[in-house]
Structure formats: C-alpha cells, structure tokens
Amino acid sequence: MTLMDLRSDTVTRPTEAMRAAMHAAAVGDDVYGEDPTVNALQERLAGDLGFEAGLFVPTGTQSNLLALLAHCERGDEYLVGMDAHTYKFEGGGAAVLGSIQPQPIVQAEDGCLPLDRVAAAIKPVDPHFARTRLLALENTWHGRALPLDYLRDAAAFARDKGLGIHLDGARLFNAAVACGVPARDIARHFDTVSVCLSKGLGAPVGSVLVGPHALIDKARRWRKVCGGGWRQAGMLAAACLHALDHHVARLADDHALAARLAQRLAGIDGLAVLGQHTNMVFIDVPVERLRALDAHLREAGIRISIGYLPTLRLVTHLDVDDAGIDRTAEAFARFFAAA
Ligand SMILES: *Cc1c(COP(=O)(O)O)cnc(C)c1O
C-alpha cells in the first residue's frame, strides 16, 4: 500500500526524470557565481517573471528573510498579514537577524490585507516610530489566490506611499494556474517575489528570490552572511529547472484532486468541509476526535497534519492520485460511521 501523505505539498520525492536531470547537471562553485545550472535557473525564473535578477536559496524562509534584509535596514518595519508565513512561521527571523520590526495586520477572509487598515498602520516620520518601509503579501494564502484587482491596487498603494512591496509567492504558480494567467501577470505587481520549487512543483530543495539587480545583490550578500552561500548547487538547480519545465501545468491536476477530495468528504456526517482552494482542503473535525482520527488514518496508510491550524488542512501534490483520494475519503467515512 502506498502512503498517502496529505500533510503538505513539501513531501514529494523527486521523480526518476528529475533525478536523471540532477545527475546530468553541469556544476561549478556558486559562491564564485560559476555554477552554470544555478545561473540558468536564476536567469530563467527572473526572465519568466519579468525581473532583472534571481537568487537561488535553499528554502522559502531564507528567501523571504533575504528579501526583508534587502528592503529594510535596522529599525525599519514591514507591514504583513497576522497569519502570514513571513510573520508567523519564520521564527521571527527578520527581528532576530535584521532588527526589523513586523507590523502585523489582520487579513480579510480572502487573504487580502485591507488597504485602509494598512494605511492606518503606516507610521509617521518621527523618531518615536520605526520607519515603515515594506508591504509583504502572500499568494496563495491558505490556498487562496488573491484577486488580481487587489494586487494591482496594493501595488499602486505601495507606490503612492513610497513603500517597497514583496510577495511571498511560495505557491505563486498555484495562484497563476487558479487565475488562468501567466505567473508574471501576478509577479509584475511586486518589487521582489519569492517562489518555492520544493512545494507543489516537486523539487527536493530550493526557492528563488527575483527582483531588481540592486536588491538581489544585497540579498546575495545577506545569503552569504546567513551561511547560505553554497557551492555545486547545480544538482539542486537542475531539479528546479526540471520542475519548471514539467510540473507547472500539472498543478491543475492537484487542484482537481483537492476538489475531488472536498466533494467526497462533504458527504460524511461528523466533519464539515470549510472550503477548497487550489491544492488545499480545509475541514473541521471535533477537536476531541483528532487524535483518534489521526491514528485511524495512519493505520490506513494516510498521513494528515493535526498541527498548527485550528482547522485540518489536507494538501494534494505530485504523489497523490485519484485512487489515493478515494482511499482517503473511504477511510474518513469508515471513521465517522464507527462513531
Ligand atoms: C512553505 C512556505 C514558505 C517557505 O517554507 P520553507 O519550508 O522554508 O521552504 C514560505 N511561505 C509560505 C506561504 C509557505 O507555504
């Protein structure tokens, strides 16, 4: 029985074709800027998304951190969603390592930061206050693609207020597929964008930060300072290039699998399907039953995360198929039928 791991889209294993691409990669020392495959990846993604330059890094957390360090100085602040990854799930890195203060803003239901709330949080220029420098958004947010109109308005707002604007686009390509637009139509509203290749795109490791030369050069310096200057990373970049070539359009399959799962779970008494957005399904299960549900699903070869969110989040990806979704729905049904 194959394991159905719905905890996250980070759990994918490289395909045989991806491993072959990694094996064949030309490499060099990336600290010297001499890894041809890393350079190709950086140029490819920057070009595709409409930016001057890119920087390959191990994780999305580091990519977002380097963006914050590039945009902000000590004593500056960034405006960010209360539930955003760059605020809540990155260990406070900007504050710990950059002396950069977050100003969290409560997100609207759809993941947007209402611009009137953002405006109210901008500090006056006065020695009492941190200097407000940057607006940071996340797309997709809890699986939701932010409305394109909102992105346009947020970009105009940031320009008007003299703020930089950064996108945590860990799942940028899921958003693009959901909106039916090329990813650059989302990315063009931002000064810098961080993209994860290690989520639904299926690479084992890697994120890329794209932006203008001036910011990417600063980010490269901070990457080295953070101990992230790597050497023959081309073998990893090759996996990412392979993912960009072969795993973008198929994200639509992940979204369809999530829709199928949501539909099948909706018929089960005892749980509530709260929503399905791109490759994520959110369900509500009585808290006191979570541990038993988790144990029951493990027995059936299904992994879920009962971790961080008040609701359960089930995530589809490259290593999930129709049969696995059906097996999952049946296991949920058996559990609640036995209640
Ligand atoms: C996964 C993720 C990141 C980065 O995560 P890493 O595990 O550090 O690669 C950043 N933002 C969002 C929204 C994410 O889901």
Side-chain angles (χ1 to χ4, degrees), residues 87-133:
Y87 168 56
K88 196 169 175 182
F89 293 91
E90 296 181 4
V96 173
L97 298 164
S99 300
I100 302 162
Q101 157 176 302
Q103 170 59 66
I105 311 270
V106 177
Q107 279 118 331
E109 177 80 2
D110 64 358
C112 296
L113 306 192
L115 296 177
D116 56 341
R117 272 183 223 162
V118 178
I122 295 175
K123 311 291 181 291
V125 179
D126 177 299
H128 286 91
F129 302 109
R131 289 169 301 209
T132 310
R133 274 290 154 78

Side-chain angles (χ1 to χ4, degrees), residues 59-61 64 85 90 138 140 168 170-171 196 198-199 207:
T59 64
T61 298
N64 283 323
H85 205 281
E90 296 181 4
E138 181 173 320
T140 60
D168 177 358
R171 297 186 179 84
C196 287
S198 58
K199 303 259 163 109
S207 288

Side-chain angles (χ1 to χ4, degrees), residues 13-301:
R13 309 250 160 80
T15 61
E16 285 306 319
M18 182 178 276
R19 286 169 197 255
M22 295 171 76
H23 187 74
V27 297
D29 190 327
D30 182 51
V31 171
Y32 292 112
E34 289 174 3
D35 189 299
T37 312
V38 169
N39 292 340
L41 171 65
Q42 292 172 164
E43 283 160 27
R44 158 81 185 274
L45 204 50
D48 284 359
L49 298 181
F51 291 84
E52 288 175 359
L55 184 67
F56 185 42
V57 298
T59 64
T61 298
Q62 188 176 101
S63 182
N64 283 323
L65 172 65
L66 299 182
L68 294 169
L69 290 166
H71 280 279
C72 301
E73 306 285 334
R74 178 170 200 218
D76 291 351
E77 77 169 1
Y78 65 112
L79 306 159
V80 62
M82 186 79 113
D83 275 327
H85 205 281
T86 39
Y87 168 56
K88 196 169 175 182
F89 293 91
E90 296 181 4
V96 173
L97 298 164
S99 300
I100 302 162
Q101 157 176 302
Q103 170 59 66
I105 311 270
V106 177
Q107 279 118 331
E109 177 80 2
D110 64 358
C112 296
L113 306 192
L115 296 177
D116 56 341
R117 272 183 223 162
V118 178
I122 295 175
K123 311 291 181 291
V125 179
D126 177 299
H128 286 91
F129 302 109
R131 289 169 301 209
T132 310
R133 274 290 154 78
L134 179 71
L135 175 60
L137 300 180
E138 181 173 320
N139 195 14
T140 60
W141 180 74
H142 294 190
R144 293 174 192 258
L146 301 189
L148 294 171
D149 283 355
Y150 171 76
L151 299 182
R152 196 198 52 223
D153 292 349
F157 171 90
R159 233 181 354 263
D160 182 50
K161 303 289 186 191
L163 302 176
I165 183 165
H166 170 71
L167 179 65
D168 177 358
R171 297 186 179 84
L172 171 70
F173 287 99
N174 294 84
V177 166
C179 294
V181 299
R184 67 185 295 147
D185 285 1
I186 294 174
R188 71 190 173 86
H189 296 297
F190 296 87
D191 299 319
T192 49
V193 178
S194 168
V195 181
C196 287
L197 288 305
S198 58
K199 303 259 163 109
L201 294 181
V205 169
S207 288
V208 176
L209 179 67
V210 295
H213 284 302
L215 288 172
I216 296 302
D217 286 349
K218 282 177 90 176
R220 182 176 293 103
R221 183 187 134 71
W222 281 121
R223 183 185 68 170
K224 191 77 178 79
V225 173
C226 292
W230 45 12
R231 305 294 178 177
Q232 287 73 31
M235 298 187 80
L236 299 172
C240 296
L241 281 165
H242 180 86
L244 290 174
D245 286 336
H246 301 285
H247 295 169
V248 172
R250 65 151 305 288
L251 290 173
D253 301 345
D254 296 347
H255 301 178
L257 287 167
R260 181 187 181 100
L261 180 60
Q263 195 182 25
R264 299 233 15 204
L265 293 178
I268 299 174
D269 280 339
L271 66 79
V273 175
L274 303 176
Q276 175 258 322
H277 310 285
T278 61
N279 65 332
M280 297 181 186
V281 180
F282 294 89
I283 62 177
D284 213 358
V285 172
V287 181
E288 65 279 7
R289 306 215 59 203
L290 275 178
R291 283 192 175 283
L293 173 65
D294 187 35
H296 168 85
L297 292 175
R298 275 175 198 249
E299 289 277 298

